[in-house]
Amino acid sequence: MNVNQITKLAQKSLGLSVLMSSLCLSQFANAETITIGYQGMMNPWKSVIAEKKLESTTGMEVEWRRFDSGAKVITAMASGDIDIATAGSSPIAAAVNRGLDIELVWILENINDAEALVVRDGSGIAAPQDLKGKKIGVPFVSTTHFHMLFALEQFGLSDKEVSLINMQPNAIAAAWERGDIDGAFIWDPALGRIKESGQVLISSGELSRWGKATFDGMVINKSFGEENPETVAQLIKLIADADAEYRASKGALTADSLMVKNIAKMTGGQAENVPGVLALYEFPSLAEQTSCVWLGCGNEGGAAKALMFTSEFLKQEGKVPALADDYSVFVNPSFAEAAAEL
């Protein structure tokens, strides 16, 4: 083969490569800009955000908006400002019971021990019954609010006997430092800060084992998913890959690891604390996501059951007006199934 032939072959190959790239990007062309709401919990997918992997994979513009709580991001979804969002199982349940047209498409994490009720040193709280008359900070309509109410029920107390104060994570940390509250039910990085001068009274992991599991999930506006299924599947694939990378390397992670640095950057936490916080969560694999454990199996699936149990409790507490007949209609495993094929 002479030089001219080699040159022509190279040009042909380059042209084919450009064409294939254009075709790959064209499948994401339905929405040129996506708005995604996220929160400050520490999880592997923060590295997807930090490294702009969704943008580089799809060629789309992404507006990332950070929120202090699930209730706030769900409110933004209801107004049409957000296409995709992350929120806890409690605000998701509240949203679907109020008629918001969203679907749960991914379980970011099984919360386990990553959320906890911490009581301040010197507050006089040594046992659950000591909570009576105390001030406890908690973001309302969050997973910790749900578990706080459930804990009080198990302790034989009511929210009339304990002063629950609606506070966002940063406000909780500041109020704690001032001594304005006696305890708080919250997640990291605020959780790590208040643990320095407090004791864990009970964790979400313990309350989950008592029958009320909680999770953080990714929800989409249903219409957005119908118009942009490839984009949703690609995002899920990127998150699943980040989770798999974490599971494979978690024993070797240090403050100098790139993933750890990315998570610290996106959450405002300290890099040295990230590996310990991540270990408190469970990050389900793609296979687990699409199985009966979480998104699969309709009404018998773990996600649908968790939404139903949470909704029943919220209804009992007067937090939602009515219950849905079927919670599996709010859970859509098809995007995770598509992601598994990518």
Side-chain angles (χ1 to χ4, degrees), residues 28 44-49 51-58 62 64 106 230-245 259 286 339-340 342:
F28 302 107
W45 97 282
K46 293 299 190 299
S47 61
V48 174
I49 305 175
E51 296 180 25
K52 298 186 180 297
K53 290 185 177 181
L54 182 60
E55 293 90 328
S56 61
T57 301
T58 64
V62 181
W64 299 97
W106 186 254
E230 297 90 354
T231 303
V232 178
Q234 186 61 65
L235 175 57
I236 286 174
K237 172 63 174 170
L238 291 170
I239 299 171
D241 287 348
D243 288 344
E245 179 186 345
M259 175 177 281
L286 256 174
L342 295 176

Side-chain angles (χ1 to χ4, degrees), residues 80 118 281 322:
V118 179
Y281 290 105

Side-chain angles (χ1 to χ4, degrees), residues 155-308:
F155 298 154
L157 298 170
S158 75
D159 56 356
K160 302 289 191 300
E161 297 174 287
V162 180
S163 178
L164 299 184
I165 305 172
N166 185 12
M167 306 179 78
Q168 299 306 308
N170 288 339
I172 283 176
W176 184 278
E177 294 298 329
R178 294 192 302 268
D180 293 345
I181 54 176
D182 302 298
F185 209 140
I186 196 60
W187 52 84
D188 279 289
L191 177 60
R193 289 174 62 183
I194 67 175
K195 278 182 178 178
E196 294 174 1
S197 55
Q199 303 296 321
V200 174
L201 190 64
I202 195 166
S203 73
S204 284
E206 293 172 89
L207 292 166
S208 293
R209 288 187 284 275
W210 290 356
K212 303 292 184 183
T214 55
F215 62 81
D216 291 320
M218 177 168 287
V219 293
I220 60 172
N221 275 320
K222 192 173 181 180
S223 60
F224 179 86
E226 291 170 348
E227 295 170 6
N228 303 277
E230 297 90 354
T231 303
V232 178
Q234 186 61 65
L235 175 57
I236 286 174
K237 172 63 174 170
L238 291 170
I239 299 171
D241 287 348
D243 288 344
E245 179 186 345
Y246 166 72
R247 289 192 297 271
S249 62
K250 62 181 179 181
L253 288 179
T254 69
D256 294 322
S257 302
L258 179 59
M259 175 177 281
V260 169
K261 289 181 177 179
N262 284 336
I263 294 170
K265 173 186 174 183
M266 296 306 303
T267 62
Q270 299 298 314
E272 57 268 25
N273 296 333
V274 171
V277 172
L278 293 178
L280 299 174
Y281 290 105
E282 177 188 335
F283 303 100
S285 67
L286 256 174
E288 290 171 323
Q289 296 270 353
T290 56
S291 73
C292 295
V293 175
W294 287 112
L295 303 175
C297 299
N299 269 327
E300 295 303 311
K305 285 184 175 180
L307 289 178
M308 180 183 68

Side-chain angles (χ1 to χ4, degrees), residues 93-94 96-99 307-327 330:
V96 299
N97 284 297
R98 291 177 179 136
L307 289 178
M308 180 183 68
F309 293 148
T310 304
S311 298
E312 289 173 346
F313 192 82
L314 292 175
K315 176 66 167 59
Q316 177 184 321
E317 294 293 325
K319 306 301 180 184
V320 296
L323 298 177
D325 295 327
D326 180 3
Y327 285 91
F330 307 115

Side-chain angles (χ1 to χ4, degrees), residues 109-165:
E109 57 250 346
N110 182 358
I111 290 174
N112 282 342
D113 294 321
E115 295 180 349
L117 171 58
V118 179
V119 294
R120 190 166 48 81
D121 293 341
S123 65
I125 305 172
Q129 296 307 312
D130 299 328
L131 290 168
K132 186 177 292 188
K134 301 297 185 179
K135 297 178 181 178
I136 307 297
V138 60
F140 280 13
V141 200
S142 67
T143 48
T144 55
H145 188 208
F146 166 60
H147 264 171
M148 184 72 228
L149 294 173
F150 178 57
L152 291 178
E153 181 184 76
Q154 300 306 299
F155 298 154
L157 298 170
S158 75
D159 56 356
K160 302 289 191 300
E161 297 174 287
V162 180
S163 178
L164 299 184
I165 305 172

Side-chain angles (χ1 to χ4, degrees), residues 323-336:
L323 298 177
D325 295 327
D326 180 3
Y327 285 91
S328 68
V329 301
F330 307 115
V331 180
N332 188 344
S334 68
F335 300 102

